[in-house]
Amino acid sequence: MAAHGPAQMMTARPGAALTGTAEVPGDKSISHRALILGALAVGETRITGLLEGADVLDTGRAMAAFGAQVERDGAGAWRVRGVGVGGFAEPEDVIDCGNSGTGVRLIMGAMASTPVTATFTGDASLRSRPMGRITDPLALLGARAVGRSGGRLPMTITGAADPLPVDYATPMASAQVKSAVLLAGLNAPGQTVVTERAATRDHTERMLRGFGAEVVSETVAEGFRITLTGRPELRPQVIAVPRDPSSAAFPVCAALIVPGSDVLVPNIGLNPTRAGLYASLQEMGADLVFENPREEGGEPVADLRARFSPDMKGIVVPPERAPAMIDEYPILSVVAAFAGGATVMAGVHELRVKESDRVDAMATGLRACGVRVDETEDGFTVHGRGAGGVAGGAKVAARLDHRIAMSFLICGMAAARPVTVDDAGPIATSFPGFVPLMTALGAQFSDES
Ligand code: S3P
């Protein structure tokens, strides 16, 4: 999907307490990986709880274009019959990854060690994002890439006929870069090594092990090192995708700032490489309770209860926590606006190259809602106005970014006056049921388009 339909303007109004159970959809990161590794295994992988958001559906179509059989059995239930490591066929047409950086970058890695040629594109947001961070290490492995200026899509990649294993230190904290190199390394002989300064989400490593690959993760002087032994035979798996902590963040944070709220979000993934938001919220004084912690499908999960927390205080978010909450800064900045004092979020330059420049998008929108925000090159500080202290009454630009759109709709639920987002359409990329789910809890949204 290179573009979604006409803009869907939407307004959130302040209203009553939020109560009930919020069953958020499957984890986006794990869903992409389940489809891609399923396509690289020999035999049939069965997936339940797959996120059926546009991003993941685009990845499913891409896997079919590379020769896998991808079939839907029912809601969230999918089967992938893979072609084996090195077995990708050449797609007949352009691969359109829509809005998804994760999709395009992981797929580029997965095809880079097979001698086929594929052309990738996406929507206006994805076409503006840097791909050199992926094609640089893939070139070391022997893949060739030709794209637009600045390493942007559309881009054509020809995979290596004789791939070399690489030993690569990622220049930025990025699970997408790490994962692309590891996926490419699957069809290289010998050991592919990735070293990262800060540990990023490790779903690829966990899932590769589940499929039978040898993957060793260790702490080294430079940070974290992952070593993959190439050319495994990946065995098909049965995968239950946990619910997405990044999607859970929206009803949870809404409950914290809307007076009287009490919301339960069951069965959310709490992999430590993803749970940084919840640590930050607890430091701010949020009333969060993790019930029934357990492990499911190789990932830690729990049920999370969130209640209105009128006395939250601003904090300095430790920059080293950034990889574990990189997608949650937009919604954290909304919570920060309803806390007392300043919340400092530094060391997050990566936010500027997400689906939008998220530092600028949040700073601009929060200022329009009456909140003081100081912006630096690598982060921002939100000067909180305390519970009920945000004026609202603004129309903000979502910039084709699902998390910006959801963050400002949550803001509008607790502000003094409504907040309108110019386009709620992109929410469907990661959280297709967001509006009905929030409405069932008590949110007052109106479609203005
Ligand atoms: C993701 C990694 C992160 C994150 C994205 C999903 C993944 O991106 O922002 O939403 O699934 O690997 P980076 O690797 O660019 O930090």
Side-chain angles (χ1 to χ4, degrees):
M1 285 205 309
H4 64 89
Q8 291 169 33
M9 196 156 82
M10 188 166 286
T11 296
R13 295 193 157 66
L18 303 176
T19 52
T21 299
E23 302 213 326
V24 302
D27 190 280
K28 181 152 72 77
S29 292
I30 296 175
S31 295
H32 282 296
R33 286 156 172 83
L35 291 171
I36 295 170
L37 288 185
L40 289 169
V42 178
E44 188 173 275
T45 287
R46 289 173 178 271
I47 310 168
T48 54
L50 189 88
L51 166 65
E52 294 179 331
D55 279 10
V56 174
L57 297 178
D58 284 329
T59 289
R61 273 190 285 273
M63 290 303 96
F66 279 104
Q69 272 176 41
V70 182
E71 277 163 33
R72 182 176 192 265
D73 286 336
W78 289 69
R79 272 179 294 134
V80 182
R81 183 163 281 281
V83 292
V85 168
F88 273 0
E90 186 159 278
E92 287 178 11
D93 203 348
V94 172
I95 302 291
D96 188 341
C97 288
N99 191 251
S100 181
T102 307
V104 76
R105 289 170 172 152
L106 267 53
I107 296 166
M108 284 175 168
M111 59 78 58
S113 50
T114 303
V116 296
T117 295
T119 299
F120 296 90
T121 193
D123 71 4
S125 158
L126 192 57
R127 291 195 310 271
S128 74
R129 297 179 67 185
M131 297 298 149
R133 56 178 57 199
I134 300 295
T135 53
D136 288 352
L138 297 185
L140 302 175
L141 183 127
R144 284 176 292 125
V146 183
R148 283 196 305 136
S149 60
R152 288 170 304 153
L153 303 179
M155 178 174 274
T156 297
I157 300 192
T158 299
D162 294 303
L164 300 167
V166 300
D167 183 343
Y168 191 68
T170 55
M172 70 289 291
S174 169
Q176 293 175 357
V177 176
K178 170 178 69 178
S179 301
V181 175
L182 291 174
L183 291 172
L186 282 172
N187 199 31
Q191 295 194 318
T192 291
V193 181
V194 183
T195 307
E196 47 183 7
R197 274 198 297 270
T200 61
R201 66 191 67 192
D202 63 354
H203 307 301
T204 303
E205 298 91 301
R206 285 177 188 249
M207 204 182 281
L208 277 169
R209 283 186 202 108
F211 275 82
E214 196 183 317
V215 181
V216 177
S217 304
E218 58 195 332
T219 305
V220 292
E222 298 87 346
F224 294 89
R225 174 163 298 160
I226 301 102
T227 305
L228 165 85
T229 302
R231 306 226 161 122
E233 174 146 340
L234 299 183
R235 292 185 297 268
Q237 295 299 297
V238 175
I239 300 173
V241 180
R243 298 181 193 271
D244 197 324
S246 299
S247 297
F250 296 101
V252 165
C253 290
L256 299 178
I257 61 174
V258 174
S261 298
D262 186 348
V263 168
L264 182 72
V265 188
N267 206 22
I268 68 165
L270 284 172
N271 180 316
T273 62
R274 295 286 299 282
L277 170 75
Y278 299 106
S280 299
L281 292 172
Q282 283 179 315
E283 287 170 14
M284 294 172 83
D287 183 353
L288 294 179
V289 182
F290 296 91
E291 297 169 354
N292 197 14
R294 56 206 184 271
E295 179 142 330
E296 279 179 18
E299 295 274 347
V301 298
D303 307 324
L304 177 52
R305 184 162 181 200
R307 278 173 284 210
F308 176 53
S309 303
D311 299 318
M312 288 187 287
K313 298 276 175 283
I315 59 165
V316 178
V317 180
E320 61 275 14
R321 190 179 288 159
M325 55 173 289
I326 194 67
D327 293 332
E328 282 65 73
Y329 283 90
I331 189 62
L332 181 69
S333 69
V334 169
V335 175
F338 290 86
T343 293
V344 182
M345 293 165 280
V348 290
H349 186 270
E350 277 293 299
L351 290 184
R352 295 200 181 271
V353 289
K354 294 294 178 190
E355 285 82 332
S356 68
D357 176 342
R358 288 181 170 164
V359 173
D360 191 61
M362 290 312 299
T364 306
L366 284 171
R367 285 183 193 126
C369 291
V371 181
R372 194 180 131 209
V373 182
D374 302 326
E375 195 175 331
T376 62
E377 183 43 32
D378 87 332
F380 55 138
T381 296
V382 174
H383 297 271
R385 302 191 58 84
V390 175
K395 179 176 169 190
V396 300
R399 305 190 190 186
L400 282 182
D401 189 329
H402 52 131
R403 298 200 199 280
I404 302 300
M406 288 187 277
S407 295
F408 280 109
L409 289 173
I410 302 293
C411 184
M413 292 165 58
R417 290 193 292 137
V419 173
T420 299
V421 296
D422 65 344
D423 187 8
I427 293 173
T429 62
S430 69
F431 199 159
F434 173 78
V435 170
L437 179 143
M438 294 304 299
T439 304
L441 295 176
Q444 292 179 26
F445 292 162
S446 53
D447 193 336
E448 316 277 337
S449 51

